[in-house]
Amino acid sequence: MEVRVDFDRCEANGVCVGIAPDIFDLDDDDQLHITTAVLPADREDDVRTAIAQCPRAALSEHP
Ligand code: SF4
């Protein structure tokens, strides 16, 4: 699976970074980066949790 961020919705509050810091990263300018294009299978559960808990519904899952 792949996770994408809608930058029009992301407010850089870091919830996703707190759940999966190896996948999501905020830089010094509060820009969110996704560190890997295709997620390892063993990280999918945490990423789905991050998608569900993003308060701005900025994250989405793609096959
Ligand atoms: S949890 Fe959502 S709003 Fe917060 S940094 Fe991540 S993508 Fe952006």
Side-chain angles (χ1 to χ4, degrees), residues 5-61:
V5 57
D6 180 345
F7 290 105
D8 290 334
R9 299 191 67 86
C10 177
E11 62 180 14
N13 53 42
V15 172
C16 57
V17 180
I19 295 168
D22 55 329
I23 306 297
F24 301 100
D25 183 56
L26 281 171
D27 68 18
D28 292 342
D29 296 320
D30 276 351
Q31 180 81 16
L32 184 69
H33 297 275
I34 294 171
T35 61
T36 178
V38 178
L39 294 170
D42 64 352
R43 301 303 291 125
E44 291 184 354
D45 283 353
D46 275 351
V47 169
R48 287 193 176 107
T49 299
I51 291 170
Q53 296 197 6
C54 172
R56 297 282 298 149
L59 298 172
S60 56
E61 175 183 340

